[in-house]
Amino acid sequence: MSPAVLFALFIVCLFVSIPVASSVTIASLAPSFFSSQFTVISFIRNAVEGVNSFSLLAIPMFILSGIVMSRGGVSKKLFEFFTYFIGKVPGGMPCAVIVTCLFYGAISGSAPATVAAVGSMTIPVLLNLGYKREFTVATVCVAGSLGVIIPPSIPMVLYCMANSEASVGRMFTAGIVPGFLIAGCLMVYAVFYCLKFGEDKEKINAEVGTLREKGFVKVFITSFWALLSPVIILGSIYGGIASPTEAATISVFYALIVGLFIYRTLKVKDIPAILKESVQTYGPLLFVLGSAAAFAKVLALMQVPVMICTWITTTFQSKFLILLIVNVFLFLVGMVMDGGPAILLLTPILWPIVKAIGINEIHFGINMIVNLAIGFVTPPIGINLFVASRVGELPVMVVAKNVMPYIALFIVALILIVVFPQISLCLL
């Protein structure tokens, strides 16, 4: 069975709306009908080996931690803290939403989770302050993508699973500066929009004034435990106290303690529902992980990565042109495929290509994740669009239309990250 037929089968399965995990499984099993080298037993073995990884335990733990934090009202505490300082400046309220997404991403590690948690709380507030629904929902939708760039990031863990040369800890460190760069670009448009179309300063001043009447000390104390969350998670990793997986477990216990005993926004009876939601979130991903690992093994046995690497490096001599082709390809893939499966399937194919032209494995990982993060907000498959549409009560295509200016600045940030590797590597 030729690689072209294998990929054609996979694409056909996707286009007829077969779930990604099932599509990958079908493509992985297809060669077994033509060669004894590929068997059902080997597929099962490779799938099990693919998920039998200590580092992958970080994913369900970060998912669980993010859900607990969401139910515990952590996003509200973060938003109030940032609103206290920048709420009255031009574009301050939308910028506070973006910064909240930035910090909440350091808790959840997931873009859709960030949109859901921050959006459900901030969208009603901004609507009451007179901001247009389309602009407000678009802001949350795009800012939610910061959840996969700011560490800890679930896609970063998946990338390190697919590329054994990359370290989760180094990937987490490399994501900090690009995350702040992208957040800064998004805030530039938010401020521009507010200066162009105006804001209801009377309502904003009243909202921020009520918050400031509490005083800085009270606002800081109530927000302190929320602000401490990313410090504990990342500090334990960078301080050498815990591995990313252990830090993810610590974050779960910390989230439970804060929600149950400090903020008291959670009750013991809420825990079964939280566990159920986390299983429902991680379960489908687990099937994708296993089938993608098996599919990657099939591609390796068929020498697909070697063939593609050889063709590209012999056809295109310019390092810049090869990087451009790879990034455009990732951008297009992000439009039609979820980021997790795309990382698992494409990393074994693309990494040998960029490695051959001297690209650092961490730099390439950040490029890939930022590229696919844009895919979260681009139709037709952009998950953030559907989450924001549901939370903000707007049609998906209306949301997609209003995120375009943000996407343009997101792409500007991506170009800077690709052209200047030190943006990703300066903290390593």
Side-chain angles (χ1 to χ4, degrees):
M1 187 176 188
S2 71
V5 174
L6 187 67
F7 279 109
L9 175 63
F10 175 63
I11 293 171
V12 168
C13 289
L14 291 178
F15 270 96
V16 296
S17 299
I18 296 176
V20 173
S22 300
S23 299
V24 175
T25 300
I26 293 170
S28 301
L29 291 174
S32 64
F33 293 97
F34 301 92
S35 172
S36 59
Q37 185 182 16
F38 307 96
T39 64
V40 175
I41 298 299
S42 64
F43 168 81
I44 296 173
R45 183 174 60 249
N46 292 329
V48 172
E49 290 176 354
V51 297
N52 185 23
S53 169
F54 178 72
S55 61
L56 279 184
L57 287 174
I59 297 177
M61 291 296 101
F62 280 131
I63 290 174
L64 178 56
S65 173
I67 294 172
V68 174
M69 290 286 187
S70 175
R71 295 284 190 93
V74 168
S75 59
K76 183 175 186 295
K77 305 297 182 183
L78 291 172
F79 180 65
E80 288 179 350
F81 180 78
F82 299 124
T83 298
Y84 181 92
F85 289 101
I86 64 175
K88 288 189 176 183
V89 303
M93 297 301 289
C95 286
V97 172
I98 294 171
V99 179
T100 301
C101 288
L102 182 75
F103 273 76
Y104 192 83
I107 299 171
S108 72
S110 165
T114 302
V115 173
V118 177
S120 60
M121 185 274 303
T122 59
I123 289 175
V125 174
L126 265 64
L127 292 179
N128 288 335
L129 295 177
Y131 292 96
K132 288 186 177 180
R133 183 179 294 272
E134 293 83 356
F135 168 72
T136 301
V137 176
T139 300
V140 175
C141 179
V142 181
S145 292
L146 295 170
V148 300
I149 301 168
I150 287 292
S153 161
I154 292 173
M156 288 183 183
V157 177
L158 296 178
Y159 172 76
C160 294
M161 170 193 170
N163 185 353
S164 59
E165 296 183 39
S167 156
V168 175
R170 285 167 60 83
M171 280 295 296
F172 281 1
T173 304
I176 295 174
V177 175
F180 278 92
L181 171 64
I182 295 167
C185 290
L186 300 182
M187 285 190 279
V188 167
Y189 175 72
V191 172
F192 168 78
Y193 178 94
C194 292
L195 290 174
K196 181 177 180 180
F197 295 101
E199 300 173 279
D200 191 331
K201 286 298 184 181
E202 185 176 343
K203 288 183 178 179
I204 293 173
N205 290 337
E207 178 77 16
V208 179
T210 301
L211 192 61
R212 289 185 176 179
E213 284 177 2
K214 299 179 181 179
F216 170 75
V217 175
K218 186 173 182 179
V219 172
F220 177 75
I221 290 174
T222 56
S223 306
F224 174 75
W225 301 103
L227 293 167
L228 193 60
S229 302
V231 175
I232 289 177
I233 296 171
L234 301 179
S236 61
I237 296 173
Y238 301 144
I241 300 171
S243 67
T245 301
E246 293 165 341
T249 306
I250 292 171
S251 73
V252 172
F253 285 98
Y254 177 79
L256 286 170
I257 291 171
V258 170
L260 289 171
F261 304 112
I262 297 177
Y263 289 151
R264 297 182 181 179
T265 48
L266 291 177
K267 299 183 184 299
V268 175
K269 66 179 182 181
D270 296 328
I271 294 179
I274 291 173
L275 293 174
K276 179 181 178 181
E277 185 179 348
S278 64
V279 171
Q280 289 175 334
T281 302
Y282 182 63
L285 179 59
L286 187 63
F287 284 101
V288 174
L289 295 176
S291 58
F295 189 50
K297 186 70 173 179
V298 169
L299 295 179
L301 291 173
M302 296 178 73
Q303 300 292 307
V304 172
V306 175
M307 289 188 291
I308 294 177
C309 178
T310 302
W311 179 78
I312 289 182
T313 52
T314 54
T315 305
F316 305 100
Q317 303 301 319
S318 168
K319 175 179 177 179
F320 173 79
L321 187 58
I322 293 174
L323 268 179
L324 177 63
I325 292 171
V326 168
N327 276 277
V328 170
F329 175 68
L330 285 172
F331 179 79
L332 295 175
V333 168
M335 295 176 67
V336 296
M337 185 182 293
D338 189 23
I343 290 170
L344 294 171
L345 294 174
L346 296 178
T347 299
I349 296 174
L350 298 178
W351 167 236
I353 298 172
V354 295
K355 182 181 180 180
I357 58 174
I359 301 299
N360 180 279
E361 72 278 4
I362 301 297
H363 180 220
F364 173 64
I366 297 298
N367 288 355
M368 172 176 267
I369 289 167
V370 172
N371 234 313
L372 295 174
I374 299 175
F376 278 106
V377 291
T378 52
I381 306 297
I383 295 178
N384 282 17
L385 293 174
F386 293 93
V387 177
S389 171
R390 187 179 71 250
V391 175
E393 300 178 354
L394 275 178
V396 172
M397 292 313 298
V398 173
V399 181
K401 177 182 177 182
N402 285 273
V403 299
M404 291 305 169
Y406 281 121
I407 290 177
L409 288 171
F410 216 125
I411 293 173
V412 169
L414 171 63
I415 293 171
L416 292 174
I417 292 168
V418 172
V419 175
F420 301 104
Q422 283 308 311
I423 294 175
S424 303
L425 305 178
C426 61
L427 297 181
L428 299 180

